[in-house]
Amino acid sequence: MRRKLNPMEMEFYGKSVLLVDDSIVRGTTSREIVQMAREKGARKVYFASCAPAIRYPHIHGIDLADTRELVAHGRTSEQVAMEIGADMVIYQTLEDLKKCVSGFNKDIIDFEAGVFTGEYVTGCPPHYLEHLEKLRGVHARTKQLEKRKTLEALSLNGSEEHEIGSLVEDEHIQHKAAEDISLINAATEVGSRV
């Protein structure tokens, strides 16, 4: 993040600033951005999200974090502000977001907004989210173990550090595709038992 963004002190020092981002998911990026503004002397830091608070995982293929990792899950906007180090967090309302988007196409009457509300257009089988979190936890632990083994094997072979990073990234992409397929299969399996 610090390589990508380079705040200038003259823009922040002694000022109240409003930072705007498309969304706040885990809060790690937001926290880092707020910290950079404070390091450059911002007196107050307000953080605005163009999306409503993301409180629930996405069950339709977008790999959002487990519920426990979502910074807004079970928290008020004041608590999220404390988590990311901001003086205030301002979220777009779901109603305003829907009005804005439907203004471009009057045929759109509703949206899949499960990540904001926890109510999914397709419904959600009982205990599916818990099952999904367990499955993702197993995949995460497996992925960490595989990455560690790959790094050890590559370093034993004398590979350069940049080569190792590239190979691990390729392996991650292949593993991610297999993980997505297994999540779809697990969802089908859980849904058929309900």
Side-chain angles (χ1 to χ4, degrees), residues 21-112:
D21 205 349
D22 61 344
S23 62
I24 304 171
V25 182
R26 292 174 181 87
T28 50
T29 301
S30 308
R31 186 178 303 113
E32 189 70 26
I33 293 170
V34 168
Q35 180 61 36
M36 287 191 294
R38 292 210 187 276
E39 288 170 3
K40 294 300 178 182
R43 191 171 49 81
K44 296 270 186 183
V45 180
Y46 304 102
F47 202 96
S49 169
C50 295
I54 297 173
R55 300 183 192 282
Y56 303 94
H58 199 286
I59 63 170
H60 298 295
I62 298 173
D63 188 23
L64 284 184
D66 289 345
T67 304
R68 296 166 298 202
E69 295 177 26
L70 299 171
V71 72
H73 181 75
R75 291 188 177 105
T76 65
S77 58
E78 291 81 12
Q79 291 169 323
V80 172
M82 285 179 57
E83 284 290 318
I84 68 170
D87 292 287
M88 178 188 288
V89 169
I90 305 160
Y91 286 106
Q92 163 85 284
T93 66
L94 183 56
E95 296 75 31
D96 285 346
L97 180 63
K98 286 181 177 182
K99 281 182 199 172
C100 178
V101 175
S102 63
F104 294 104
N105 185 345
K106 300 295 181 197
D107 293 334
I108 299 173
I109 55 172
D110 204 3
F111 300 86
E112 169 47 53

Side-chain angles (χ1 to χ4, degrees), residues 2-186:
R2 288 182 180 263
R3 287 184 195 161
K4 196 164 84 171
L5 301 174
N6 186 21
M8 296 185 299
E9 189 169 327
M10 64 183 260
E11 299 295 338
F12 290 90
Y13 190 78
K15 297 180 181 178
S16 294
V17 295
L18 173 64
L19 305 172
V20 182
D21 205 349
D22 61 344
S23 62
I24 304 171
V25 182
R26 292 174 181 87
T28 50
T29 301
S30 308
R31 186 178 303 113
E32 189 70 26
I33 293 170
V34 168
Q35 180 61 36
M36 287 191 294
R38 292 210 187 276
E39 288 170 3
K40 294 300 178 182
R43 191 171 49 81
K44 296 270 186 183
V45 180
Y46 304 102
F47 202 96
S49 169
C50 295
I54 297 173
R55 300 183 192 282
Y56 303 94
H58 199 286
I59 63 170
H60 298 295
I62 298 173
D63 188 23
L64 284 184
D66 289 345
T67 304
R68 296 166 298 202
E69 295 177 26
L70 299 171
V71 72
H73 181 75
R75 291 188 177 105
T76 65
S77 58
E78 291 81 12
Q79 291 169 323
V80 172
M82 285 179 57
E83 284 290 318
I84 68 170
D87 292 287
M88 178 188 288
V89 169
I90 305 160
Y91 286 106
Q92 163 85 284
T93 66
L94 183 56
E95 296 75 31
D96 285 346
L97 180 63
K98 286 181 177 182
K99 281 182 199 172
C100 178
V101 175
S102 63
F104 294 104
N105 185 345
K106 300 295 181 197
D107 293 334
I108 299 173
I109 55 172
D110 204 3
F111 300 86
E112 169 47 53
V115 295
F116 309 123
T117 65
E119 298 171 11
Y120 303 93
V121 169
T122 58
C124 184
H127 309 294
Y128 174 67
L129 293 179
E130 294 88 356
H131 173 75
L132 187 62
E133 286 182 8
K134 286 179 189 172
L135 187 62
R136 284 181 171 164
V138 168
H139 284 303
R141 287 189 296 278
T142 302
K143 193 164 47 175
Q144 286 174 344
L145 181 61
E146 288 174 358
K147 184 176 180 179
R148 192 175 325 125
K149 287 180 180 178
T150 302
L151 288 172
E152 288 171 3
L154 290 171
S155 64
L156 289 174
N157 289 335
S159 297
E160 294 290 324
E161 190 174 324
H162 68 278
E163 292 173 353
I164 292 172
S166 177
L167 290 169
V168 169
E169 181 62 27
D170 290 345
E171 184 178 304
H172 170 72
I173 291 168
Q174 292 172 1
H175 180 79
K176 179 75 177 103
E179 182 179 309
D180 289 345
I181 292 168
S182 69
L183 287 174
I184 292 167
N185 292 339

